[in-house]
Short mmCIF file of all heavy atoms in Angstrom, two decimals:
data_model
loop_
_atom_site.label_atom_id
_atom_site.label_comp_id
_atom_site.label_asym_id
_atom_site.label_seq_id
_atom_site.Cartn_x
_atom_site.Cartn_y
_atom_site.Cartn_z
N GLY A 21 90.08 27.95 -58.67
CA GLY A 21 90.32 27.29 -57.39
C GLY A 21 91.67 26.41 -57.47
O GLY A 21 91.90 25.82 -58.45
N VAL A 22 92.35 26.60 -56.30
CA VAL A 22 93.66 25.85 -56.17
C VAL A 22 93.53 25.00 -55.01
O VAL A 22 93.47 25.45 -53.81
CB VAL A 22 94.87 26.82 -56.08
CG1 VAL A 22 96.19 25.98 -55.92
CG2 VAL A 22 94.90 27.68 -57.36
N ALA A 23 93.55 23.67 -55.15
CA ALA A 23 93.49 22.67 -54.00
C ALA A 23 94.64 22.74 -53.11
O ALA A 23 95.71 22.81 -53.51
CB ALA A 23 93.22 21.30 -54.56
N VAL A 24 94.35 22.82 -51.81
CA VAL A 24 95.41 22.94 -50.76
C VAL A 24 95.06 21.87 -49.71
O VAL A 24 94.01 21.73 -49.23
CB VAL A 24 95.35 24.27 -50.05
CG1 VAL A 24 96.46 24.35 -48.97
CG2 VAL A 24 95.64 25.40 -51.07
N SER A 25 96.09 21.05 -49.43
CA SER A 25 95.92 19.87 -48.37
C SER A 25 96.29 20.57 -47.07
O SER A 25 97.37 21.16 -46.84
CB SER A 25 96.88 18.81 -48.76
OG SER A 25 96.76 17.86 -47.71
N THR A 26 95.31 20.44 -46.05
CA THR A 26 95.67 20.90 -44.72
C THR A 26 95.45 19.69 -43.74
O THR A 26 94.94 18.56 -44.10
CB THR A 26 94.66 21.99 -44.28
OG1 THR A 26 93.31 21.40 -44.09
CG2 THR A 26 94.57 23.00 -45.38
N ASP A 27 95.74 19.90 -42.40
CA ASP A 27 95.52 18.92 -41.43
C ASP A 27 94.04 18.49 -41.29
O ASP A 27 93.67 17.41 -40.89
CB ASP A 27 96.13 19.28 -40.14
CG ASP A 27 97.67 19.17 -40.07
OD1 ASP A 27 98.18 18.57 -40.91
OD2 ASP A 27 98.24 19.88 -39.14
N GLN A 28 93.19 19.48 -41.66
CA GLN A 28 91.72 19.24 -41.56
C GLN A 28 91.08 18.60 -42.74
O GLN A 28 90.01 18.16 -42.63
CB GLN A 28 91.02 20.60 -41.26
CG GLN A 28 91.57 21.35 -39.99
CD GLN A 28 91.40 20.51 -38.61
OE1 GLN A 28 90.39 19.92 -38.45
NE2 GLN A 28 92.48 20.47 -37.83
N GLY A 29 91.86 18.62 -43.83
CA GLY A 29 91.30 18.11 -45.04
C GLY A 29 91.62 18.92 -46.16
O GLY A 29 92.34 20.02 -46.11
N LEU A 30 91.10 18.64 -47.37
CA LEU A 30 91.41 19.26 -48.56
C LEU A 30 90.45 20.54 -48.74
O LEU A 30 89.25 20.38 -48.70
CB LEU A 30 91.20 18.44 -49.87
CG LEU A 30 91.68 18.99 -51.20
CD1 LEU A 30 93.23 19.12 -51.21
CD2 LEU A 30 91.14 18.10 -52.29
N VAL A 31 91.03 21.75 -48.98
CA VAL A 31 90.27 22.93 -49.17
C VAL A 31 90.60 23.50 -50.46
O VAL A 31 91.67 23.32 -51.03
CB VAL A 31 90.22 23.98 -48.08
CG1 VAL A 31 89.82 23.47 -46.80
CG2 VAL A 31 91.78 24.38 -47.98
N VAL A 32 89.69 24.32 -51.15
CA VAL A 32 89.98 24.86 -52.42
C VAL A 32 89.78 26.34 -52.36
O VAL A 32 88.66 26.82 -52.79
CB VAL A 32 89.13 24.20 -53.55
CG1 VAL A 32 89.56 24.69 -54.97
CG2 VAL A 32 89.23 22.66 -53.45
N PRO A 33 90.75 27.18 -51.91
CA PRO A 33 90.59 28.62 -51.98
C PRO A 33 90.62 29.06 -53.50
O PRO A 33 91.17 28.44 -54.31
CB PRO A 33 91.71 29.15 -51.19
CG PRO A 33 92.73 27.96 -51.28
CD PRO A 33 91.97 26.76 -51.28
N VAL A 34 89.92 30.28 -53.65
CA VAL A 34 89.72 30.73 -54.99
C VAL A 34 90.63 31.93 -55.35
O VAL A 34 90.63 32.99 -54.58
CB VAL A 34 88.19 31.00 -55.27
CG1 VAL A 34 88.08 31.54 -56.68
CG2 VAL A 34 87.45 29.75 -55.05
N VAL A 35 91.37 31.91 -56.53
CA VAL A 35 92.04 33.11 -57.01
C VAL A 35 91.08 33.85 -57.90
O VAL A 35 90.74 33.35 -58.93
CB VAL A 35 93.27 32.79 -57.72
CG1 VAL A 35 93.97 33.97 -58.33
CG2 VAL A 35 94.25 31.89 -56.84
N ARG A 36 90.54 34.92 -57.47
CA ARG A 36 89.49 35.63 -58.27
C ARG A 36 90.14 36.45 -59.38
O ARG A 36 91.25 37.00 -59.31
CB ARG A 36 88.81 36.75 -57.34
CG ARG A 36 88.29 36.24 -55.97
CD ARG A 36 87.01 35.43 -56.23
NE ARG A 36 86.48 34.90 -54.95
CZ ARG A 36 85.48 34.09 -54.94
NH1 ARG A 36 85.00 33.53 -56.01
NH2 ARG A 36 85.16 33.62 -53.72
N ASP A 37 89.40 36.46 -60.53
CA ASP A 37 89.82 37.18 -61.70
C ASP A 37 91.26 37.00 -62.04
O ASP A 37 92.00 37.89 -62.26
CB ASP A 37 89.52 38.76 -61.53
CG ASP A 37 88.09 39.10 -61.40
OD1 ASP A 37 87.23 38.46 -62.25
OD2 ASP A 37 87.64 39.82 -60.54
N ALA A 38 91.59 35.67 -62.08
CA ALA A 38 92.97 35.25 -62.31
C ALA A 38 93.50 35.74 -63.71
O ALA A 38 94.68 35.91 -63.91
CB ALA A 38 93.21 33.79 -62.23
N ASP A 39 92.60 36.01 -64.65
CA ASP A 39 92.96 36.38 -65.97
C ASP A 39 93.49 37.82 -65.97
O ASP A 39 94.28 38.22 -66.87
CB ASP A 39 91.82 36.27 -66.95
CG ASP A 39 90.61 37.05 -66.48
OD1 ASP A 39 90.25 36.97 -65.36
OD2 ASP A 39 89.99 37.68 -67.37
N LEU A 40 93.20 38.58 -64.95
CA LEU A 40 93.64 39.98 -64.88
C LEU A 40 94.91 40.09 -64.08
O LEU A 40 95.49 41.12 -63.90
CB LEU A 40 92.62 40.78 -64.22
CG LEU A 40 91.22 40.79 -64.86
CD1 LEU A 40 90.25 41.67 -64.11
CD2 LEU A 40 91.28 41.22 -66.37
N LEU A 41 95.40 38.98 -63.57
CA LEU A 41 96.61 39.04 -62.66
C LEU A 41 97.92 38.62 -63.48
O LEU A 41 97.86 37.87 -64.39
CB LEU A 41 96.39 37.97 -61.49
CG LEU A 41 95.23 38.26 -60.62
CD1 LEU A 41 95.21 37.20 -59.44
CD2 LEU A 41 95.30 39.67 -59.97
N SER A 42 99.02 39.19 -62.94
CA SER A 42 100.34 38.73 -63.56
C SER A 42 100.85 37.52 -63.02
O SER A 42 100.22 37.00 -61.97
CB SER A 42 101.36 39.87 -63.33
OG SER A 42 101.60 39.98 -61.85
N PHE A 43 101.83 36.94 -63.50
CA PHE A 43 102.44 35.75 -62.81
C PHE A 43 102.79 35.92 -61.38
O PHE A 43 102.58 35.11 -60.50
CB PHE A 43 103.70 35.32 -63.64
CG PHE A 43 103.48 34.54 -64.95
CD1 PHE A 43 103.07 35.27 -66.10
CD2 PHE A 43 103.50 33.17 -64.96
CE1 PHE A 43 102.85 34.61 -67.21
CE2 PHE A 43 103.20 32.53 -66.11
CZ PHE A 43 102.88 33.18 -67.29
N ALA A 44 103.40 37.17 -61.10
CA ALA A 44 103.78 37.44 -59.78
C ALA A 44 102.56 37.53 -58.83
O ALA A 44 102.62 37.06 -57.70
CB ALA A 44 104.54 38.77 -59.73
N ASP A 45 101.50 38.23 -59.32
CA ASP A 45 100.29 38.34 -58.58
C ASP A 45 99.66 37.04 -58.24
O ASP A 45 99.09 36.80 -57.07
CB ASP A 45 99.26 39.22 -59.28
CG ASP A 45 99.68 40.76 -59.39
OD1 ASP A 45 100.53 41.14 -58.51
OD2 ASP A 45 99.28 41.36 -60.30
N ILE A 46 99.64 36.15 -59.30
CA ILE A 46 99.10 34.79 -59.02
C ILE A 46 99.89 34.01 -57.92
O ILE A 46 99.36 33.44 -57.03
CB ILE A 46 99.10 33.98 -60.37
CG1 ILE A 46 98.03 34.70 -61.31
CG2 ILE A 46 98.73 32.61 -60.05
CD1 ILE A 46 98.01 34.07 -62.72
N GLU A 47 101.19 34.11 -58.14
CA GLU A 47 102.16 33.45 -57.09
C GLU A 47 101.90 33.86 -55.69
O GLU A 47 101.84 33.20 -54.72
CB GLU A 47 103.57 33.50 -57.48
CG GLU A 47 103.98 32.77 -58.74
CD GLU A 47 103.99 31.30 -58.60
OE1 GLU A 47 103.78 30.78 -57.45
OE2 GLU A 47 104.05 30.58 -59.60
N LYS A 48 101.84 35.23 -55.52
CA LYS A 48 101.63 35.88 -54.27
C LYS A 48 100.22 35.40 -53.68
O LYS A 48 100.07 35.09 -52.49
CB LYS A 48 101.63 37.43 -54.29
CG LYS A 48 103.10 37.92 -54.63
CD LYS A 48 103.06 39.51 -54.79
CE LYS A 48 104.38 39.97 -55.12
NZ LYS A 48 104.41 41.48 -55.40
N ARG A 49 99.22 35.45 -54.59
CA ARG A 49 97.86 35.08 -54.10
C ARG A 49 97.81 33.62 -53.62
O ARG A 49 97.28 33.28 -52.54
CB ARG A 49 96.84 35.34 -55.24
CG ARG A 49 95.47 35.20 -54.77
CD ARG A 49 95.00 36.14 -53.77
NE ARG A 49 93.55 36.08 -53.53
CZ ARG A 49 93.07 36.35 -52.35
NH1 ARG A 49 93.81 36.70 -51.31
NH2 ARG A 49 91.75 36.23 -52.15
N ILE A 50 98.36 32.76 -54.41
CA ILE A 50 98.36 31.31 -54.13
C ILE A 50 99.19 31.06 -52.75
O ILE A 50 98.74 30.26 -51.89
CB ILE A 50 98.94 30.48 -55.29
CG1 ILE A 50 98.03 30.47 -56.40
CG2 ILE A 50 99.20 29.07 -54.79
CD1 ILE A 50 98.52 29.82 -57.63
N SER A 51 100.29 31.70 -52.66
CA SER A 51 101.08 31.57 -51.45
C SER A 51 100.36 31.99 -50.22
O SER A 51 100.32 31.29 -49.17
CB SER A 51 102.36 32.33 -51.60
OG SER A 51 103.27 32.31 -50.37
N ASP A 52 99.63 33.13 -50.33
CA ASP A 52 98.92 33.68 -49.15
C ASP A 52 97.75 32.79 -48.84
O ASP A 52 97.44 32.44 -47.59
CB ASP A 52 98.40 35.12 -49.53
CG ASP A 52 97.45 35.64 -48.47
OD1 ASP A 52 97.95 35.93 -47.34
OD2 ASP A 52 96.26 35.87 -48.75
N LEU A 53 96.94 32.33 -49.88
CA LEU A 53 95.81 31.51 -49.63
C LEU A 53 96.21 30.20 -49.00
O LEU A 53 95.72 29.70 -48.12
CB LEU A 53 95.03 31.26 -50.89
CG LEU A 53 94.33 32.54 -51.45
CD1 LEU A 53 93.77 32.17 -52.88
CD2 LEU A 53 93.17 32.79 -50.62
N GLY A 54 97.38 29.54 -49.47
CA GLY A 54 97.89 28.33 -49.00
C GLY A 54 98.34 28.38 -47.60
O GLY A 54 97.96 27.54 -46.76
N ARG A 55 99.03 29.46 -47.16
CA ARG A 55 99.51 29.65 -45.82
C ARG A 55 98.29 29.80 -44.88
O ARG A 55 98.24 29.14 -43.87
CB ARG A 55 100.33 30.91 -45.79
CG ARG A 55 100.76 31.30 -44.34
CD ARG A 55 101.58 32.53 -44.35
NE ARG A 55 100.90 33.64 -44.94
CZ ARG A 55 99.99 34.36 -44.36
NH1 ARG A 55 99.60 34.02 -43.12
NH2 ARG A 55 99.34 35.37 -45.03
N ARG A 56 97.34 30.73 -45.25
CA ARG A 56 96.20 30.88 -44.38
C ARG A 56 95.25 29.73 -44.31
O ARG A 56 94.59 29.41 -43.38
CB ARG A 56 95.44 32.09 -44.79
CG ARG A 56 96.25 33.42 -44.47
CD ARG A 56 95.40 34.70 -44.65
NE ARG A 56 95.05 34.88 -46.02
CZ ARG A 56 93.80 34.87 -46.48
NH1 ARG A 56 92.78 34.57 -45.75
NH2 ARG A 56 93.59 35.18 -47.76
N ALA A 57 95.20 28.87 -45.44
CA ALA A 57 94.48 27.57 -45.39
C ALA A 57 95.02 26.66 -44.34
O ALA A 57 94.27 26.06 -43.54
CB ALA A 57 94.40 26.95 -46.79
N ARG A 58 96.38 26.49 -44.29
CA ARG A 58 96.97 25.61 -43.37
C ARG A 58 96.88 26.13 -41.98
O ARG A 58 96.91 25.36 -40.95
CB ARG A 58 98.44 25.47 -43.74
CG ARG A 58 98.56 24.48 -44.96
CD ARG A 58 100.01 24.20 -45.31
NE ARG A 58 100.63 25.44 -45.94
CZ ARG A 58 100.63 25.59 -47.28
NH1 ARG A 58 100.12 24.84 -48.05
NH2 ARG A 58 101.28 26.73 -47.83
N GLU A 59 96.74 27.46 -41.80
CA GLU A 59 96.60 28.02 -40.42
C GLU A 59 95.16 28.15 -39.98
O GLU A 59 94.91 28.48 -38.89
CB GLU A 59 97.22 29.36 -40.40
CG GLU A 59 98.69 29.46 -40.59
CD GLU A 59 99.26 30.92 -40.71
OE1 GLU A 59 98.48 31.83 -40.75
OE2 GLU A 59 100.53 30.98 -40.78
N GLY A 60 94.22 27.72 -40.87
CA GLY A 60 92.73 27.80 -40.56
C GLY A 60 92.23 29.25 -40.49
O GLY A 60 91.32 29.46 -39.77
N LYS A 61 92.82 30.14 -41.21
CA LYS A 61 92.50 31.57 -41.19
C LYS A 61 91.75 32.02 -42.51
O LYS A 61 91.58 33.26 -42.61
CB LYS A 61 93.72 32.37 -40.99
CG LYS A 61 94.31 32.19 -39.61
CD LYS A 61 95.52 33.04 -39.45
CE LYS A 61 96.10 32.79 -37.97
NZ LYS A 61 97.28 33.82 -37.75
N LEU A 62 91.28 31.02 -43.26
CA LEU A 62 90.62 31.54 -44.47
C LEU A 62 89.19 32.00 -44.20
O LEU A 62 88.53 31.37 -43.30
CB LEU A 62 90.53 30.49 -45.53
CG LEU A 62 91.81 30.09 -46.35
CD1 LEU A 62 91.47 28.86 -47.26
CD2 LEU A 62 92.22 31.26 -47.07
N ALA A 63 88.72 32.95 -44.89
CA ALA A 63 87.23 33.34 -44.73
C ALA A 63 86.44 32.46 -45.60
O ALA A 63 86.85 31.94 -46.64
CB ALA A 63 87.04 34.84 -45.19
N ILE A 64 85.20 32.21 -45.25
CA ILE A 64 84.34 31.39 -46.01
C ILE A 64 84.23 31.86 -47.43
O ILE A 64 84.15 31.10 -48.41
CB ILE A 64 82.95 31.26 -45.30
CG1 ILE A 64 83.18 30.49 -44.01
CG2 ILE A 64 81.95 30.55 -46.26
CD1 ILE A 64 81.88 30.35 -43.20
N GLU A 65 84.16 33.15 -47.67
CA GLU A 65 83.92 33.67 -49.00
C GLU A 65 85.06 33.31 -49.90
O GLU A 65 84.98 33.28 -51.16
CB GLU A 65 83.82 35.27 -48.85
CG GLU A 65 82.54 35.72 -48.18
CD GLU A 65 82.61 35.58 -46.63
OE1 GLU A 65 83.76 35.35 -46.14
OE2 GLU A 65 81.63 35.60 -45.98
N GLU A 66 86.32 33.02 -49.37
CA GLU A 66 87.46 32.70 -50.15
C GLU A 66 87.38 31.34 -50.68
O GLU A 66 88.25 30.96 -51.49
CB GLU A 66 88.70 32.97 -49.36
CG GLU A 66 88.94 34.42 -49.03
CD GLU A 66 90.20 34.71 -48.17
OE1 GLU A 66 90.14 34.08 -47.01
OE2 GLU A 66 91.10 35.40 -48.62
N LEU A 67 86.40 30.57 -50.24
CA LEU A 67 86.25 29.14 -50.63
C LEU A 67 85.07 28.99 -51.60
O LEU A 67 84.82 27.85 -52.08
CB LEU A 67 86.18 28.29 -49.48
CG LEU A 67 87.35 28.28 -48.42
CD1 LEU A 67 86.99 27.56 -47.21
CD2 LEU A 67 88.52 27.60 -49.11
#
């Protein structure tokens, strides 16, 4: 889980099976989750 601060409060989206991901995959995943967290577009399963 990577904590993300949003206008609504702190949320912790999850990077699944992070041990199987490359550095680039992790950065892309964190960037995508952070953006959608701030836009309020995360699915509940991602938290």
Side-chain angles (χ1 to χ4, degrees):
V22 179
V24 177
S25 179
T26 73
D27 285 343
Q28 303 299 317
L30 189 71
V31 296
V32 187
V34 178
V35 180
R36 306 285 179 193
D37 294 316
D39 58 314
L40 305 180
L41 302 179
S42 66
F43 281 80
D45 291 334
I46 291 173
E47 292 292 351
K48 290 176 182 178
R49 186 65 175 148
I50 291 174
S51 175
D52 174 64
L53 290 170
R55 175 183 56 79
R56 290 192 290 116
R58 287 182 285 272
E59 294 175 354
K61 293 182 178 179
L62 285 177
I64 291 176
E65 294 75 17
E66 294 175 301
L67 299 169

